mmCIF file with all atom_site columns, all heavy atoms in Angstrom:
data_model
loop_
_atom_site.group_PDB
_atom_site.id
_atom_site.type_symbol
_atom_site.label_atom_id
_atom_site.label_alt_id
_atom_site.label_comp_id
_atom_site.label_asym_id
_atom_site.label_entity_id
_atom_site.label_seq_id
_atom_site.pdbx_PDB_ins_code
_atom_site.Cartn_x
_atom_site.Cartn_y
_atom_site.Cartn_z
_atom_site.occupancy
_atom_site.B_iso_or_equiv
_atom_site.pdbx_formal_charge
_atom_site.auth_seq_id
_atom_site.auth_comp_id
_atom_site.auth_asym_id
_atom_site.auth_atom_id
_atom_site.pdbx_PDB_model_num
ATOM   1   N N   . THR A 1 18  ? -14.966 16.375 13.779 1.00 0.00 ? 278  THR A N   1
ATOM   2   C CA  . THR A 1 18  ? -15.450 15.029 13.997 1.00 0.00 ? 278  THR A CA  1
ATOM   3   C C   . THR A 1 18  ? -14.785 14.251 15.010 1.00 0.00 ? 278  THR A C   1
ATOM   4   O O   . THR A 1 18  ? -15.337 13.610 15.894 1.00 0.00 ? 278  THR A O   1
ATOM   5   C CB  . THR A 1 18  ? -15.542 14.266 12.682 1.00 0.00 ? 278  THR A CB  1
ATOM   6   O OG1 . THR A 1 18  ? -15.960 15.016 11.595 1.00 0.00 ? 278  THR A OG1 1
ATOM   7   C CG2 . THR A 1 18  ? -16.278 12.986 12.824 1.00 0.00 ? 278  THR A CG2 1
ATOM   8   N N   . SER A 1 19  ? -13.431 14.408 15.098 1.00 0.00 ? 279  SER A N   1
ATOM   9   C CA  . SER A 1 19  ? -12.648 13.775 16.188 1.00 0.00 ? 279  SER A CA  1
ATOM   10  C C   . SER A 1 19  ? -11.516 14.619 16.662 1.00 0.00 ? 279  SER A C   1
ATOM   11  O O   . SER A 1 19  ? -10.440 14.351 16.469 1.00 0.00 ? 279  SER A O   1
ATOM   12  C CB  . SER A 1 19  ? -12.037 12.414 15.487 1.00 0.00 ? 279  SER A CB  1
ATOM   13  O OG  . SER A 1 19  ? -12.788 11.781 14.640 1.00 0.00 ? 279  SER A OG  1
ATOM   14  N N   . SER A 1 113 ? -5.195  10.339 13.067 1.00 0.00 ? 373  SER A N   1
ATOM   15  C CA  . SER A 1 113 ? -5.793  9.114  12.479 1.00 0.00 ? 373  SER A CA  1
ATOM   16  C C   . SER A 1 113 ? -5.318  8.783  11.108 1.00 0.00 ? 373  SER A C   1
ATOM   17  O O   . SER A 1 113 ? -4.125  8.592  10.956 1.00 0.00 ? 373  SER A O   1
ATOM   18  C CB  . SER A 1 113 ? -7.312  9.424  12.439 1.00 0.00 ? 373  SER A CB  1
ATOM   19  O OG  . SER A 1 113 ? -8.002  8.218  12.026 1.00 0.00 ? 373  SER A OG  1
ATOM   20  N N   . HIS A 1 114 ? -6.136  8.790  10.153 1.00 0.00 ? 374  HIS A N   1
ATOM   21  C CA  . HIS A 1 114 ? -5.796  8.370  8.766  1.00 0.00 ? 374  HIS A CA  1
ATOM   22  C C   . HIS A 1 114 ? -5.326  9.451  7.935  1.00 0.00 ? 374  HIS A C   1
ATOM   23  O O   . HIS A 1 114 ? -5.073  9.361  6.734  1.00 0.00 ? 374  HIS A O   1
ATOM   24  C CB  . HIS A 1 114 ? -6.982  7.725  8.174  1.00 0.00 ? 374  HIS A CB  1
ATOM   25  C CG  . HIS A 1 114 ? -8.170  8.620  8.209  1.00 0.00 ? 374  HIS A CG  1
ATOM   26  N ND1 . HIS A 1 114 ? -8.859  8.826  9.383  1.00 0.00 ? 374  HIS A ND1 1
ATOM   27  C CD2 . HIS A 1 114 ? -8.731  9.448  7.267  1.00 0.00 ? 374  HIS A CD2 1
ATOM   28  C CE1 . HIS A 1 114 ? -9.773  9.746  9.181  1.00 0.00 ? 374  HIS A CE1 1
ATOM   29  N NE2 . HIS A 1 114 ? -9.778  10.185 7.892  1.00 0.00 ? 374  HIS A NE2 1
ATOM   30  N N   . ARG A 1 282 ? -9.223  1.984  12.605 1.00 0.00 ? 542  ARG A N   1
ATOM   31  C CA  . ARG A 1 282 ? -9.839  1.495  11.491 1.00 0.00 ? 542  ARG A CA  1
ATOM   32  C C   . ARG A 1 282 ? -9.301  0.282  10.948 1.00 0.00 ? 542  ARG A C   1
ATOM   33  O O   . ARG A 1 282 ? -8.135  -0.148 11.241 1.00 0.00 ? 542  ARG A O   1
ATOM   34  C CB  . ARG A 1 282 ? -9.640  2.641  10.377 1.00 0.00 ? 542  ARG A CB  1
ATOM   35  C CG  . ARG A 1 282 ? -10.348 3.959  10.525 1.00 0.00 ? 542  ARG A CG  1
ATOM   36  C CD  . ARG A 1 282 ? -10.236 4.824  9.343  1.00 0.00 ? 542  ARG A CD  1
ATOM   37  N NE  . ARG A 1 282 ? -10.931 6.117  9.570  1.00 0.00 ? 542  ARG A NE  1
ATOM   38  C CZ  . ARG A 1 282 ? -11.349 6.798  8.670  1.00 0.00 ? 542  ARG A CZ  1
ATOM   39  N NH1 . ARG A 1 282 ? -11.128 6.468  7.328  1.00 0.00 ? 542  ARG A NH1 1
ATOM   40  N NH2 . ARG A 1 282 ? -12.029 7.912  8.908  1.00 0.00 ? 542  ARG A NH2 1
ATOM   41  N N   . THR A 1 344 ? -22.493 11.086 11.843 1.00 0.00 ? 604  THR A N   1
ATOM   42  C CA  . THR A 1 344 ? -21.047 10.689 11.684 1.00 0.00 ? 604  THR A CA  1
ATOM   43  C C   . THR A 1 344 ? -20.177 11.009 12.874 1.00 0.00 ? 604  THR A C   1
ATOM   44  O O   . THR A 1 344 ? -20.237 12.069 13.449 1.00 0.00 ? 604  THR A O   1
ATOM   45  C CB  . THR A 1 344 ? -20.499 11.279 10.430 1.00 0.00 ? 604  THR A CB  1
ATOM   46  O OG1 . THR A 1 344 ? -21.305 10.776 9.280  1.00 0.00 ? 604  THR A OG1 1
ATOM   47  C CG2 . THR A 1 344 ? -19.081 10.947 10.211 1.00 0.00 ? 604  THR A CG2 1
ATOM   48  N N   . GLY A 1 345 ? -19.369 9.985  13.248 1.00 0.00 ? 605  GLY A N   1
ATOM   49  C CA  . GLY A 1 345 ? -18.380 10.298 14.359 1.00 0.00 ? 605  GLY A CA  1
ATOM   50  C C   . GLY A 1 345 ? -18.640 9.382  15.474 1.00 0.00 ? 605  GLY A C   1
ATOM   51  O O   . GLY A 1 345 ? -19.790 9.200  15.820 1.00 0.00 ? 605  GLY A O   1
ATOM   52  N N   . TRP A 1 346 ? -17.627 8.740  16.002 1.00 0.00 ? 606  TRP A N   1
ATOM   53  C CA  . TRP A 1 346 ? -17.720 7.737  17.077 1.00 0.00 ? 606  TRP A CA  1
ATOM   54  C C   . TRP A 1 346 ? -18.384 8.321  18.350 1.00 0.00 ? 606  TRP A C   1
ATOM   55  O O   . TRP A 1 346 ? -18.952 7.599  19.092 1.00 0.00 ? 606  TRP A O   1
ATOM   56  C CB  . TRP A 1 346 ? -16.406 7.136  17.415 1.00 0.00 ? 606  TRP A CB  1
ATOM   57  C CG  . TRP A 1 346 ? -16.618 5.645  17.746 1.00 0.00 ? 606  TRP A CG  1
ATOM   58  C CD1 . TRP A 1 346 ? -16.537 5.147  19.052 1.00 0.00 ? 606  TRP A CD1 1
ATOM   59  C CD2 . TRP A 1 346 ? -16.885 4.613  16.858 1.00 0.00 ? 606  TRP A CD2 1
ATOM   60  N NE1 . TRP A 1 346 ? -16.827 3.867  18.981 1.00 0.00 ? 606  TRP A NE1 1
ATOM   61  C CE2 . TRP A 1 346 ? -16.941 3.466  17.744 1.00 0.00 ? 606  TRP A CE2 1
ATOM   62  C CE3 . TRP A 1 346 ? -17.049 4.454  15.480 1.00 0.00 ? 606  TRP A CE3 1
ATOM   63  C CZ2 . TRP A 1 346 ? -17.327 2.165  17.108 1.00 0.00 ? 606  TRP A CZ2 1
ATOM   64  C CZ3 . TRP A 1 346 ? -17.290 3.217  14.898 1.00 0.00 ? 606  TRP A CZ3 1
ATOM   65  C CH2 . TRP A 1 346 ? -17.447 2.093  15.770 1.00 0.00 ? 606  TRP A CH2 1
ATOM   66  N N   . GLU A 1 363 ? -19.146 2.239  11.182 1.00 0.00 ? 623  GLU A N   1
ATOM   67  C CA  . GLU A 1 363 ? -19.281 3.351  10.171 1.00 0.00 ? 623  GLU A CA  1
ATOM   68  C C   . GLU A 1 363 ? -18.753 2.706  8.847  1.00 0.00 ? 623  GLU A C   1
ATOM   69  O O   . GLU A 1 363 ? -17.835 1.808  8.798  1.00 0.00 ? 623  GLU A O   1
ATOM   70  C CB  . GLU A 1 363 ? -18.488 4.469  10.696 1.00 0.00 ? 623  GLU A CB  1
ATOM   71  C CG  . GLU A 1 363 ? -19.024 5.226  11.884 1.00 0.00 ? 623  GLU A CG  1
ATOM   72  C CD  . GLU A 1 363 ? -18.313 6.576  12.053 1.00 0.00 ? 623  GLU A CD  1
ATOM   73  O OE1 . GLU A 1 363 ? -17.173 6.680  12.501 1.00 0.00 ? 623  GLU A OE1 1
ATOM   74  O OE2 . GLU A 1 363 ? -18.988 7.564  11.678 1.00 0.00 ? 623  GLU A OE2 1
ATOM   75  N N   . GLU A 1 364 ? -19.268 3.402  7.847  1.00 0.00 ? 624  GLU A N   1
ATOM   76  C CA  . GLU A 1 364 ? -18.871 3.022  6.428  1.00 0.00 ? 624  GLU A CA  1
ATOM   77  C C   . GLU A 1 364 ? -17.314 3.359  6.223  1.00 0.00 ? 624  GLU A C   1
ATOM   78  O O   . GLU A 1 364 ? -16.681 2.722  5.446  1.00 0.00 ? 624  GLU A O   1
ATOM   79  C CB  . GLU A 1 364 ? -19.696 3.682  5.397  1.00 0.00 ? 624  GLU A CB  1
ATOM   80  C CG  . GLU A 1 364 ? -19.826 5.154  5.444  1.00 0.00 ? 624  GLU A CG  1
ATOM   81  C CD  . GLU A 1 364 ? -18.591 5.946  5.323  1.00 0.00 ? 624  GLU A CD  1
ATOM   82  O OE1 . GLU A 1 364 ? -17.835 5.721  4.395  1.00 0.00 ? 624  GLU A OE1 1
ATOM   83  O OE2 . GLU A 1 364 ? -18.288 6.915  6.159  1.00 0.00 ? 624  GLU A OE2 1
ATOM   84  N N   . SER A 1 365 ? -16.852 4.172  7.103  1.00 0.00 ? 625  SER A N   1
ATOM   85  C CA  . SER A 1 365 ? -15.373 4.672  6.892  1.00 0.00 ? 625  SER A CA  1
ATOM   86  C C   . SER A 1 365 ? -14.441 3.687  7.649  1.00 0.00 ? 625  SER A C   1
ATOM   87  O O   . SER A 1 365 ? -13.513 4.162  8.266  1.00 0.00 ? 625  SER A O   1
ATOM   88  C CB  . SER A 1 365 ? -15.328 6.089  7.492  1.00 0.00 ? 625  SER A CB  1
ATOM   89  O OG  . SER A 1 365 ? -15.703 6.169  8.841  1.00 0.00 ? 625  SER A OG  1
ATOM   90  N N   . LYS A 1 376 ? -13.639 3.069  18.093 1.00 0.00 ? 636  LYS A N   1
ATOM   91  C CA  . LYS A 1 376 ? -13.615 1.983  17.083 1.00 0.00 ? 636  LYS A CA  1
ATOM   92  C C   . LYS A 1 376 ? -12.258 1.251  17.224 1.00 0.00 ? 636  LYS A C   1
ATOM   93  O O   . LYS A 1 376 ? -11.329 1.831  17.836 1.00 0.00 ? 636  LYS A O   1
ATOM   94  C CB  . LYS A 1 376 ? -13.942 2.461  15.703 1.00 0.00 ? 636  LYS A CB  1
ATOM   95  C CG  . LYS A 1 376 ? -13.033 3.615  15.243 1.00 0.00 ? 636  LYS A CG  1
ATOM   96  C CD  . LYS A 1 376 ? -13.542 4.158  13.905 1.00 0.00 ? 636  LYS A CD  1
ATOM   97  C CE  . LYS A 1 376 ? -12.651 5.334  13.421 1.00 0.00 ? 636  LYS A CE  1
ATOM   98  N NZ  . LYS A 1 376 ? -13.475 6.584  13.316 1.00 0.00 ? 636  LYS A NZ  1
ATOM   99  N N   . ARG A 1 484 ? -22.516 15.391 2.759  1.00 0.00 ? 744  ARG A N   1
ATOM   100 C CA  . ARG A 1 484 ? -22.068 16.115 4.037  1.00 0.00 ? 744  ARG A CA  1
ATOM   101 C C   . ARG A 1 484 ? -20.643 16.616 3.918  1.00 0.00 ? 744  ARG A C   1
ATOM   102 O O   . ARG A 1 484 ? -19.950 16.212 2.980  1.00 0.00 ? 744  ARG A O   1
ATOM   103 C CB  . ARG A 1 484 ? -22.207 15.178 5.316  1.00 0.00 ? 744  ARG A CB  1
ATOM   104 C CG  . ARG A 1 484 ? -21.384 13.989 5.253  1.00 0.00 ? 744  ARG A CG  1
ATOM   105 C CD  . ARG A 1 484 ? -21.635 13.227 6.569  1.00 0.00 ? 744  ARG A CD  1
ATOM   106 N NE  . ARG A 1 484 ? -20.791 13.819 7.725  1.00 0.00 ? 744  ARG A NE  1
ATOM   107 C CZ  . ARG A 1 484 ? -19.476 13.655 7.869  1.00 0.00 ? 744  ARG A CZ  1
ATOM   108 N NH1 . ARG A 1 484 ? -18.815 12.895 7.066  1.00 0.00 ? 744  ARG A NH1 1
ATOM   109 N NH2 . ARG A 1 484 ? -18.813 14.264 8.883  1.00 0.00 ? 744  ARG A NH2 1
ATOM   110 N N   . SER A 1 486 ? -17.008 16.987 5.395  1.00 0.00 ? 746  SER A N   1
ATOM   111 C CA  . SER A 1 486 ? -16.117 16.437 6.374  1.00 0.00 ? 746  SER A CA  1
ATOM   112 C C   . SER A 1 486 ? -15.734 17.298 7.545  1.00 0.00 ? 746  SER A C   1
ATOM   113 O O   . SER A 1 486 ? -15.601 18.465 7.397  1.00 0.00 ? 746  SER A O   1
ATOM   114 C CB  . SER A 1 486 ? -14.815 15.991 5.559  1.00 0.00 ? 746  SER A CB  1
ATOM   115 O OG  . SER A 1 486 ? -13.713 15.873 6.508  1.00 0.00 ? 746  SER A OG  1
ATOM   116 N N   . GLY A 1 487 ? -15.542 16.679 8.642  1.00 0.00 ? 747  GLY A N   1
ATOM   117 C CA  . GLY A 1 487 ? -15.126 17.447 9.907  1.00 0.00 ? 747  GLY A CA  1
ATOM   118 C C   . GLY A 1 487 ? -13.787 17.028 10.330 1.00 0.00 ? 747  GLY A C   1
ATOM   119 O O   . GLY A 1 487 ? -13.482 17.250 11.525 1.00 0.00 ? 747  GLY A O   1
ATOM   120 N N   . THR A 1 488 ? -12.943 16.381 9.574  1.00 0.00 ? 748  THR A N   1
ATOM   121 C CA  . THR A 1 488 ? -11.647 15.967 9.939  1.00 0.00 ? 748  THR A CA  1
ATOM   122 C C   . THR A 1 488 ? -10.526 16.563 9.153  1.00 0.00 ? 748  THR A C   1
ATOM   123 O O   . THR A 1 488 ? -9.344  16.216 9.409  1.00 0.00 ? 748  THR A O   1
ATOM   124 C CB  . THR A 1 488 ? -11.531 14.446 9.953  1.00 0.00 ? 748  THR A CB  1
ATOM   125 O OG1 . THR A 1 488 ? -11.718 14.025 8.518  1.00 0.00 ? 748  THR A OG1 1
ATOM   126 C CG2 . THR A 1 488 ? -12.476 13.756 10.833 1.00 0.00 ? 748  THR A CG2 1
ATOM   127 N N   . ARG A 1 496 ? -18.342 15.094 1.054  1.00 0.00 ? 756  ARG A N   1
ATOM   128 C CA  . ARG A 1 496 ? -18.496 13.681 1.000  1.00 0.00 ? 756  ARG A CA  1
ATOM   129 C C   . ARG A 1 496 ? -19.827 13.382 0.349  1.00 0.00 ? 756  ARG A C   1
ATOM   130 O O   . ARG A 1 496 ? -20.871 13.806 0.781  1.00 0.00 ? 756  ARG A O   1
ATOM   131 C CB  . ARG A 1 496 ? -18.399 13.092 2.483  1.00 0.00 ? 756  ARG A CB  1
ATOM   132 C CG  . ARG A 1 496 ? -17.053 13.468 3.145  1.00 0.00 ? 756  ARG A CG  1
ATOM   133 C CD  . ARG A 1 496 ? -16.556 12.212 3.921  1.00 0.00 ? 756  ARG A CD  1
ATOM   134 N NE  . ARG A 1 496 ? -15.504 12.495 4.771  1.00 0.00 ? 756  ARG A NE  1
ATOM   135 C CZ  . ARG A 1 496 ? -14.257 12.382 4.382  1.00 0.00 ? 756  ARG A CZ  1
ATOM   136 N NH1 . ARG A 1 496 ? -13.847 12.094 3.138  1.00 0.00 ? 756  ARG A NH1 1
ATOM   137 N NH2 . ARG A 1 496 ? -13.246 12.680 5.255  1.00 0.00 ? 756  ARG A NH2 1
ATOM   138 N N   . TYR A 1 498 ? -22.077 10.050 -0.414 1.00 0.00 ? 758  TYR A N   1
ATOM   139 C CA  . TYR A 1 498 ? -22.293 8.643  -0.221 1.00 0.00 ? 758  TYR A CA  1
ATOM   140 C C   . TYR A 1 498 ? -23.423 8.058  -1.115 1.00 0.00 ? 758  TYR A C   1
ATOM   141 O O   . TYR A 1 498 ? -24.476 8.766  -1.173 1.00 0.00 ? 758  TYR A O   1
ATOM   142 C CB  . TYR A 1 498 ? -22.663 8.441  1.317  1.00 0.00 ? 758  TYR A CB  1
ATOM   143 C CG  . TYR A 1 498 ? -21.770 9.070  2.319  1.00 0.00 ? 758  TYR A CG  1
ATOM   144 C CD1 . TYR A 1 498 ? -21.856 10.308 2.761  1.00 0.00 ? 758  TYR A CD1 1
ATOM   145 C CD2 . TYR A 1 498 ? -20.732 8.252  2.944  1.00 0.00 ? 758  TYR A CD2 1
ATOM   146 C CE1 . TYR A 1 498 ? -21.138 10.955 3.696  1.00 0.00 ? 758  TYR A CE1 1
ATOM   147 C CE2 . TYR A 1 498 ? -19.969 8.886  3.850  1.00 0.00 ? 758  TYR A CE2 1
ATOM   148 C CZ  . TYR A 1 498 ? -20.126 10.146 4.312  1.00 0.00 ? 758  TYR A CZ  1
ATOM   149 O OH  . TYR A 1 498 ? -19.287 10.683 5.184  1.00 0.00 ? 758  TYR A OH  1
HETATM 150 C C1  . LIG B 2 .   ? -14.276 10.698 8.887  1.00 0.00 ? 1142 LIG B C1  1
HETATM 151 C C2  . LIG B 2 .   ? -15.280 9.552  8.627  1.00 0.00 ? 1142 LIG B C2  1
HETATM 152 C C3  . LIG B 2 .   ? -16.079 9.337  9.880  1.00 0.00 ? 1142 LIG B C3  1
HETATM 153 C C4  . LIG B 2 .   ? -14.995 8.987  11.070 1.00 0.00 ? 1142 LIG B C4  1
HETATM 154 C C5  . LIG B 2 .   ? -14.055 10.085 11.166 1.00 0.00 ? 1142 LIG B C5  1
HETATM 155 C C6  . LIG B 2 .   ? -12.939 9.675  12.160 1.00 0.00 ? 1142 LIG B C6  1
HETATM 156 O O1  . LIG B 2 .   ? -14.936 11.855 9.325  1.00 0.00 ? 1142 LIG B O1  1
HETATM 157 O O2  . LIG B 2 .   ? -16.192 9.949  7.680  1.00 0.00 ? 1142 LIG B O2  1
HETATM 158 O O3  . LIG B 2 .   ? -16.920 8.226  9.778  1.00 0.00 ? 1142 LIG B O3  1
HETATM 159 O O4  . LIG B 2 .   ? -15.746 8.741  12.216 1.00 0.00 ? 1142 LIG B O4  1
HETATM 160 O O5  . LIG B 2 .   ? -13.438 10.266 9.885  1.00 0.00 ? 1142 LIG B O5  1
HETATM 161 O O6  . LIG B 2 .   ? -12.300 8.552  11.829 1.00 0.00 ? 1142 LIG B O6  1
HETATM 162 P P1  . LIG B 2 .   ? -15.272 13.135 8.315  1.00 0.00 ? 1142 LIG B P1  1
HETATM 163 O O7  . LIG B 2 .   ? -13.920 13.517 7.641  1.00 0.00 ? 1142 LIG B O7  1
HETATM 164 O O8  . LIG B 2 .   ? -16.132 12.543 7.285  1.00 0.00 ? 1142 LIG B O8  1
HETATM 165 O O9  . LIG B 2 .   ? -15.923 14.157 9.197  1.00 0.00 ? 1142 LIG B O9  1
#
Side-chain angles (χ1 to χ4, degrees):
T278 312
S279 319
S373 186
H374 53 284
R542 293 185 176 204
T604 295
W606 212 257
E623 294 192 282
E624 51 65 46
S625 54
K636 52 189 181 242
R744 59 177 283 281
S746 156
T748 59
R756 303 222 188 272
Y758 305 85

